[in-house]
Amino acid sequence: MTKFSIFLMWVGLVAFGGDAHAQTDPMRPAFDRAVARMGADRLDTIEYEGAGISGFLVVPGQAYAPGEPWPQLGLKAYKRQIDYVNETQLEDFTFQRLIEPARGGGLPLRGEMRYAQFVAGGYAWNRFGQGGDVPQPRPYDAAARTHDLWITPHGILRMALASRPEFRRATLNDAPMLEVSVSRTGILRATAFIDARDLVVRVDSVVGDPLVGEAKVQTLYEDYDEDGGVAFPRRIRQTYQGFPMLDLTVVRVKPNAPVDIPVPAPVRSAQTRVVSQLVAPGVWYLTGGTHHSVLIERAEELMLVDAPQFDGRSLAIVAEAARLASGKRIRTVVNTHIHTDHSGGLRAFVAEGAAIVTHAINAGFLQRSVSAPSGVTPDHLAKAPRAPIIVSVRDREVWEDGPRRIEAHHIRGNAHNAGMLMVYLPIEKILIEADVYSPGPPGAAVPVVPNHFTVNLADNVARLGLAVERILPMHGRVASYADMLREIGRAP
């Protein structure tokens, strides 16, 4: 008896007491034929590749402006390994930008880059990219990557086998279909469409998203062929929230290939940490991860610049702020821009009663996003519902109380995001910005080609006449403004 057979027996007899209804449903035989035709009951692992392909993937949530497509990256190579029994997955990409100079977010700024993402046992992490071969924990991606594993054509059938699916007859593009719907708390809701050939041709799913609450994903499986008795699509196309996400041509498939994805010790022991550094009286640089924030004390409240990534980091920031400034709460959050990695924690601050300040071009998008439900993966806002307070900024906003003056300025003409804001503290001569300048380690080589986002930032600082001495970036480290100018060839 295979591991999967034992697993199914345990699920059917122990968890569900033997689902007689599922076994006697008149549409069950059509589903069973698909399982046999696809080979899902004979497939514990799979590996597939695309090499020298002309496909693409995109960087989700990194659009230049709301409503625009996400930045598209050309796929040079792709490899995916899945272990359904142990719920583990590796995706290894090599890609390059298709549009230069860069517009919107994502990597690389130029040239080619390799990037690998993993999920195993509820842990998620990355390798390569900017972090090199050092594993970079991504706890907030674990549920979404587990979703990705189960919406594969064999994954969705296996999930249905091990749960209580709902069957319906339907038509798709005028063709008769069997709909198979499944759900798993904290991971997904999904419906597979099985055609008259007993093949999974489409999966519609809903996955938790830190900014928009939950996102709709549609995946198309086309041009099936067989390898080792397993039917597998040779083309995979996907959309996320209606935007193109992936177009992949599969060139090699290895059913039941060996898959070994151990969780690295640093990932297993990683915790969400917020490390505070006092950079001026009442101004703290909050680091401890890949994305930073800045906390600013005002007369009656605290202001935060950027709420990155996910709920867990925002709640850790709330706790650290309470320790740093007892009796004051974060009542205003300035959102530098709407890219998900810098705004994924905003929903938690809405639940905490904070007003969200953003550029006017992004305000409507944020209003809809933080008002949306999060039923698949309930977050802090779902547990403590509150209407959002969105404050729009166009060119400038100023806050003054006592000796403190805080200015938010639009970074005009920056190709990273149309509604990019920076925050300036004129008394402290500190500039706070995200993504347009991310200093490397001290002594790092000056880029041969200046980052055009940074050149634009310097132009805006000069245009506004800001007397900047230090920069607090949302990536990297505290840097002097003189260091930034040297990086773009404008030595002071």
Side-chain angles (χ1 to χ4, degrees):
M1 183 175 287
T2 67
K3 290 185 290 182
F4 186 51
S5 299
I6 295 171
F7 170 68
L8 289 180
M9 182 181 295
W10 178 83
V11 169
L13 297 179
V14 179
F16 302 128
D19 193 345
H21 172 72
Q23 298 298 328
T24 59
D25 190 299
M27 285 176 277
R28 178 77 192 204
F31 170 73
D32 290 338
R33 286 197 306 271
V35 170
R37 171 76 175 86
M38 296 278 296
D41 54 348
R42 305 185 297 276
L43 190 72
D44 287 345
T45 68
I46 193 164
E47 176 181 300
Y48 61 92
E49 298 180 52
I53 56 181
S54 59
F56 68 84
L57 76 157
V58 302
V59 188
Q62 299 284 317
Y64 172 68
E68 287 197 6
W70 295 323
Q72 195 173 105
L73 303 171
L75 272 174
K76 305 289 286 184
Y78 176 87
K79 181 178 180 179
R80 188 178 193 181
Q81 295 180 326
I82 299 173
D83 180 342
Y84 293 112
V85 175
N86 295 300
E87 204 171 59
T88 63
Q89 174 180 266
L90 157 67
E91 287 188 280
D92 194 335
F93 309 86
T94 301
F95 54 80
Q96 65 181 7
R97 273 196 181 274
L98 297 179
I99 299 174
E100 295 288 356
R103 178 180 166 96
L107 294 170
L109 284 172
R110 60 184 57 84
E112 189 176 288
M113 181 172 285
R114 184 182 175 196
Y115 177 78
Q117 57 184 35
F118 304 77
V119 64
Y123 296 94
W125 68 99
N126 292 348
R127 284 187 186 274
F128 313 121
Q130 285 186 314
D133 197 26
V134 178
Q136 306 135 48
R138 305 270 295 194
Y140 41 89
D141 283 335
R145 292 180 186 178
T146 304
H147 156 275
D148 296 345
L149 180 155
W150 290 118
I151 64 167
T152 57
H154 300 87
I156 198 72
L157 294 178
R158 291 174 66 98
M159 175 172 276
L161 280 168
S163 63
R164 296 187 179 190
E166 294 181 1
F167 302 117
R168 287 179 298 274
R169 295 294 183 187
T171 58
L172 184 64
N173 299 325
D174 297 324
M177 295 282 165
L178 172 66
E179 284 188 11
V180 182
S181 296
V182 295
S183 64
R184 177 172 161 190
T185 302
I187 301 297
L188 58 73
R189 296 193 306 271
T191 297
F193 294 82
I194 300 173
D195 70 4
R197 300 169 299 166
D198 301 320
L199 298 174
V200 176
V201 294
R202 187 172 112 183
V203 176
D204 292 349
S205 56
V206 178
V207 62
D209 184 284
L211 179 57
V212 302
E214 51 188 40
K216 294 180 180 179
V217 181
Q218 184 177 98
T219 311
L220 303 180
Y221 298 108
E222 305 166 333
D223 302 335
Y224 271 87
D225 201 350
E226 288 201 15
D227 285 276
V230 172
F232 198 84
R234 288 308 192 268
R235 188 179 184 192
I236 301 172
R237 292 186 291 152
Q238 188 174 77
T239 61
Y240 189 100
Q241 290 291 83
F243 292 110
M245 175 74 175
L246 174 72
D247 191 335
L248 175 68
T249 300
V250 176
V251 297
R252 280 186 289 276
V253 181
K254 297 179 183 179
N256 291 312
V259 175
D260 183 21
I261 306 176
V263 181
V267 172
R268 194 177 293 276
S269 62
Q271 297 180 342
T272 300
R273 298 187 314 127
V274 176
V275 178
S276 55
Q277 175 187 353
L278 185 68
V279 294
V283 181
W284 294 272
Y285 193 37
L286 305 182
T287 62
T290 57
H291 292 63
H292 313 324
S293 303
V294 175
L295 185 68
I296 305 169
E297 185 173 16
R298 300 178 61 197
E300 303 295 333
E301 64 171 54
L302 299 173
M303 175 182 283
L304 184 74
V305 181
D306 264 9
Q309 298 182 313
F310 72 123
D311 262 23
R313 182 150 192 88
S314 289
L315 296 178
I317 288 172
V318 169
E320 180 66 3
R323 186 187 72 83
L324 294 171
S326 178
K328 293 183 180 179
R329 300 182 62 184
I330 298 172
R331 291 300 188 189
T332 304
V333 179
V334 177
N335 167 239
T336 58
H337 63 302
I338 57 168
H339 291 170
T340 305
D341 57 327
H342 290 274
S343 56
L346 287 176
R347 290 172 61 95
F349 283 103
V350 171
E352 291 290 307
I356 309 301
V357 178
T358 193
H359 190 271
I361 198 172
N362 295 326
F365 170 80
L366 276 189
Q367 178 76 41
R368 294 188 298 273
S369 297
V370 298
S371 300
S374 61
V376 173
T377 310
D379 58 13
H380 187 49
L381 183 57
K383 299 168 187 175
R386 193 186 293 259
I389 303 169
I390 307 295
V391 178
S392 295
V393 173
R394 288 199 176 274
D395 289 328
R396 186 180 75 155
E397 187 73 27
V398 177
W399 297 267
E400 284 189 285
D401 51 359
R404 178 83 68 207
R405 179 181 172 93
I406 305 169
E407 302 176 6
H409 295 277
H410 179 214
I411 307 179
R412 292 184 189 173
N414 197 281
H416 191 75
N417 183 254
M420 181 71 73
L421 295 179
M422 60 183 174
V423 174
Y424 176 56
L425 305 179
I427 295 173
E428 297 83 357
K429 298 183 178 180
I430 289 174
L431 183 70
I432 304 164
E433 53 78 27
D435 287 354
V436 292
Y437 174 55
S438 300
V446 174
V448 175
V449 180
N451 183 336
H452 63 285
F453 297 155
T454 308
V455 172
N456 172 263
L457 173 64
D459 290 344
N460 274 271
V461 169
R463 172 180 65 82
L464 294 166
L466 308 183
V468 179
E469 292 184 355
R470 286 184 293 171
I471 298 179
L472 306 186
M474 298 296 98
H475 298 287
R477 59 181 174 83
V478 178
S480 71
Y481 192 66
D483 286 340
M484 190 201 83
L485 292 177
R486 276 191 289 270
E487 280 204 21
I488 60 173
R490 298 183 184 179

